[in-house]
Amino acid sequence: MTAGFAPAPTSLSRHSSLNMAEQFDQEQYIAESKEMRLKHLEEQAMFALKIACENYEGAVFPNAMIAGDVVITHLLHRLGYLKDGKCTVMCVDTFHLFPETMEFLKEIEEFYGFKAEVFCAEGIPVGDKAAYDKRYGADLWKENIEEYDRVCKVEPFQRGLKTLNTNCMINGRTRWQGFERAWIDLFENAPIGGGLAKCNPIAYWTLEDTFDYIAKYKVPHHPLHAKGYPSIGDAKDTIPIPEDGSTKFVDFKFEGDPTPWLDYASERKGRFVGLANADGSTKTECGIHVDGAEKTWDRDLWEADKSKVKKVETVDAAIEVKDSGKPAVMVVYAPWCQFSQNMEDEFESFAADTDLDVYSFRGDEEREFVQENLNTQSFPTVNVIKADGTVVKYESEVRTVEAFDAFVKETLA
């Protein structure tokens, strides 16, 4: 170290009666130190955003409107990228969000002067919950959470990135959010989209840094922070932390003890509550940011040209089978359903042994039709269709060749 940078010697002796508090204002020093840290984090985040938006023509920011995302929105605004179109804001409506979330989107669109691109489940008009329920079922998330994630989050998310021709995705993940994200950097390749660049501008921020920034700049933020929610996802599985709502962020400051929010890996404690993965482990991710996110089942069941079970592809084709005047057997299934998967081989063997026409119809995307016409409330449902068009449901859960054969003979006797 050169003399010019050598620290000045202290003049305090070990016997000085002055304590630390008398030498400087400790609270002021802490406040100044936090401001220095926040200034550095801001500059670092804006540097990352400049790299993303100036070097990539298709920068897209999927915005969930949680605390980190409203910070990024504000930073993009400061840099002018929302108005000049160098960054497109994208949102995914799962049809299970809090009502406040999509209303808040409208507020920030007006405040910052941009228009978000909203994506939802495939084949469903934006905002049409009734159409979603009709096609996919209001309780899909209860039946199979992985398939729900695929239909409502992963697929529309990926379709959005593809539709918007993005080559760089900006997102608000941070190391502070937990061990699954503890090693992320400002830039990385996404596990989806074939090597898509991913920019994590607030990767090194804590949640406290995030709320400090919101308070400093009076950043518009989700109204549910004022009701005790540190992070906001689907209404069905998001709760306040603590559950009594005693910690809140109101008028740009905390009320109550902020520790339950600000401790390491605590931001998302109120998310995915009561949900488990297929292997029984506690759910901590929605599926968007993990490898293989686009796949929750590897293939369809009773694949065409490979099976003795004939594939019924459309509602009209199913009605034709029902009205054909010939007895038949039809299974209504969902390819992601483990019970459908488990009976595939037995049903295939049954189809090979019987003289009847045996059909399969994927029902999870035509729920209203299968409920009204094919006795289906859950998957799989096996029906015997009589010559007069009467549909008789197989009620047993014993799904063997012998059991199917016995039911068919009894029904058609």
Side-chain angles (χ1 to χ4, degrees):
M1 183 178 287
T2 64
F5 290 91
T10 179
S11 61
L12 293 176
S13 74
R14 61 183 294 187
H15 301 294
S16 172
S17 61
L18 293 176
N19 60 37
M20 188 68 72
E22 292 175 314
Q23 294 172 43
F24 66 92
D25 187 330
Q26 185 172 356
E27 292 303 318
Q28 181 180 347
Y29 176 77
I30 292 173
E32 290 176 355
S33 298
K34 289 184 68 175
E35 178 58 31
M36 290 169 62
R37 170 182 168 80
L38 190 59
K39 183 174 184 294
H40 167 71
L41 290 173
E42 289 177 40
E43 293 173 350
Q44 185 184 65
M46 287 193 285
F47 169 77
L49 290 172
K50 287 178 182 178
I51 296 295
C53 296
E54 299 289 348
N55 290 277
Y56 294 89
E57 294 182 356
V60 173
F61 172 38
N63 192 338
M65 291 158 282
I66 56 177
D69 286 358
V70 301
V71 166
I72 294 173
T73 305
H74 188 264
L75 290 168
L76 288 167
H77 168 71
R78 288 173 62 185
L79 292 165
Y81 294 145
L82 294 179
K83 287 192 175 181
D84 68 12
K86 288 187 176 180
C87 181
T88 300
V89 176
M90 180 185 102
C91 295
V92 173
D93 183 0
T94 68
F95 293 114
H96 293 76
L97 300 173
F98 288 92
E100 292 90 340
T101 297
M102 296 308 287
E103 287 300 316
F104 177 58
L105 174 61
K106 294 177 184 177
E107 292 176 19
I108 60 174
E109 284 178 329
E110 183 176 352
F111 186 87
Y112 292 116
F114 72 92
K115 186 64 179 177
E117 299 287 343
V118 180
F119 295 86
C120 62
E122 187 175 18
I124 306 301
V126 171
D128 194 341
K129 177 64 161 60
Y132 166 82
D133 289 349
K134 180 178 178 180
R135 178 167 181 177
Y136 296 104
D139 293 332
L140 176 60
W141 68 274
K142 297 179 183 178
E143 297 169 1
N144 188 296
I145 191 60
E146 282 79 17
E147 178 67 359
Y148 167 78
D149 283 349
R150 186 188 73 82
V151 166
C152 295
K153 299 179 181 180
V154 176
E155 190 283 328
F157 184 90
Q158 294 183 335
R159 175 163 34 89
L161 296 178
K162 183 177 180 180
T163 301
L164 298 173
N165 296 313
T166 184
N167 52 8
C168 182
M169 177 176 66
I170 298 166
N171 78 99
R173 296 181 308 146
T174 75
R175 293 184 172 192
W176 192 256
Q177 288 168 337
F179 70 91
E180 302 95 338
R181 302 178 175 186
W183 302 103
I184 63 172
D185 287 309
L186 287 177
F187 290 94
E188 58 183 332
N189 285 332
I192 56 178
L196 178 73
K198 182 184 286 187
C199 172
N200 309 309
I202 60 170
Y204 309 139
W205 293 44
T206 67
L207 188 60
E208 184 175 8
D209 296 326
T210 300
F211 280 105
D212 284 346
Y213 182 95
I214 291 171
K216 176 181 178 181
Y217 291 101
K218 301 296 186 287
V219 175
H221 52 282
H222 201 295
L224 289 185
H225 290 313
K227 295 183 179 181
Y229 294 83
S231 183
I232 299 94
D234 281 351
K236 61 184 173 53
D237 52 56
T238 305
I239 63 172
I241 297 296
E243 290 188 46
D244 63 4
S246 57
T247 300
K248 304 175 183 178
F249 189 73
V250 182
D251 295 330
F252 303 102
K253 62 182 181 296
F254 278 103
E255 293 183 0
D257 179 11
T259 304
W261 287 24
L262 303 182
D263 274 346
Y264 178 73
S266 294
E267 177 181 353
R268 300 191 303 155
K269 276 185 177 179
R271 300 280 299 279
F272 313 112
V273 174
L275 301 182
N277 296 308
D279 62 3
S281 60
T282 300
K283 192 169 184 61
T284 60
E285 292 276 2
C286 68
I288 286 175
H289 298 290
V290 299
D291 291 330
E294 72 283 357
K295 299 172 71 175
T296 58
W297 42 274
D298 293 328
R299 60 176 180 81
D300 200 1
L301 306 181
W302 301 289
E303 295 175 278
D305 302 324
K306 297 181 181 180
S307 173
K308 296 291 185 181
V309 180
K310 300 175 183 179
K311 186 68 67 177
V312 177
E313 301 283 2
T314 67
V315 166
D316 288 341
I319 293 174
E320 286 182 14
V321 171
K322 184 180 175 185
D323 296 341
S324 67
K326 298 194 303 181
V329 179
M330 183 182 295
V331 59
V332 182
Y333 72 99
W336 45 262
C337 170
Q338 61 177 324
F339 301 108
S340 298
Q341 295 166 5
N342 291 342
M343 69 166 277
E344 183 180 21
D345 290 343
E346 284 292 313
F347 200 69
E348 178 69 30
S349 297
F350 166 72
D353 289 346
T354 186
D355 293 330
L356 296 174
D357 288 329
V358 179
Y359 298 93
S360 67
F361 180 68
R362 182 174 176 179
D364 59 317
E365 295 182 347
E366 297 290 351
R367 293 186 181 240
E368 184 173 326
F369 172 78
V370 298
Q371 288 171 1
E372 293 179 357
N373 296 275
L374 296 172
N375 298 321
T376 302
Q377 299 298 325
S378 61
F379 306 110
T381 294
V382 176
N383 290 298
V384 172
I385 301 173
K386 294 184 175 183
D388 63 1
T390 303
V391 180
V392 183
K393 181 179 179 179
Y394 176 65
E395 298 286 358
S396 174
E397 293 186 5
V398 179
R399 300 182 178 109
T400 64
V401 173
E402 295 77 16
F404 292 142
D405 188 59
F407 176 68
V408 169
K409 290 178 179 177
E410 178 185 348
T411 304
L412 297 179

